Amino acid sequence: IFAQACPLLNKLKEKTIRALKSEEQLDENLRYELLTRLDGMPKHTKLCHGDFNPSNVVVGEDGKLYVLDWAHATQGNASADAARTYLLFRLSGNDELAQRYLQLFCEKSGTALTYVQKWMPIVAASQSVKGNETERALLHQWVNVVDYE
């Protein structure tokens, strides 16, 4: 998926900026730190699914894998999308699967784990806009910018 460039899709960065600005529980200093970090991240036009998880993958009768639910698709940095998938696994209590997914993403894409981890606070804060109170509490634990610097 990430090998595809989709320059005509909405930008993940713009979507993330809107989410960070609308997150009412973020302290203004933290919001500024997250927006500054986001601004400094490399800009890509790779296809990002936005909700990549096992329930959105189907194995066809031919054995091929088909990815469903492209409603949240954007163009952007694949590491941000991988960070989102990692957090989705963690939110569902699949910590081991989350670690395995992140390891495989880094291996197959040649991406350093620390680079994906730099996306975690940004993605967690933007994802927390959607979550219920339990999810929001877990996501806000990931938002601490200092942890990944």
Side-chain angles (χ1 to χ4, degrees), residues 51-105:
D51 189 21
F52 189 69
N53 64 69
S55 67
N56 286 331
V57 180
V58 174
V59 180
E61 291 180 16
D62 57 0
K64 289 184 181 179
L65 300 175
Y66 296 91
V67 179
L68 310 174
D69 189 10
W70 289 91
H72 302 286
T74 57
Q75 62 169 302
N77 194 306
S79 293
D81 204 43
R84 185 172 310 279
T85 297
Y86 171 82
L87 290 171
L88 289 173
F89 280 133
R90 292 291 305 267
L91 285 173
S92 66
N94 291 318
D95 295 355
E96 188 176 315
L97 191 55
Q99 287 303 120
R100 183 71 179 131
Y101 170 79
L102 197 53
Q103 176 189 2
L104 284 170
F105 170 81

Side-chain angles (χ1 to χ4, degrees), residues 6-7 11 16 27 33 43 45-46 58 68 73 86 110 122-123:
C6 294
K11 292 178 172 67
T16 304
D27 169 87
E33 291 292 328
K43 290 136 186 73
T45 58
K46 294 177 179 158
V58 174
L68 310 174
Y86 171 82
I122 298 166
V123 172

Side-chain angles (χ1 to χ4, degrees), residues 1-12 42-48 74-78:
I1 292 173
F2 299 130
Q4 306 303 312
C6 294
L8 298 179
L9 284 175
N10 290 329
K11 292 178 172 67
L12 176 60
K43 290 136 186 73
H44 296 174
T45 58
K46 294 177 179 158
L47 175 58
C48 295
T74 57
Q75 62 169 302
N77 194 306

Side-chain angles (χ1 to χ4, degrees), residues 121-142:
I122 298 166
V123 172
S126 68
Q127 186 72 23
S128 70
V129 172
K130 302 177 191 177
N132 60 41
E133 285 306 311
T134 304
E135 287 181 352
R136 289 171 67 89
L138 289 170
L139 288 166
H140 278 273
Q141 292 175 9
W142 286 93

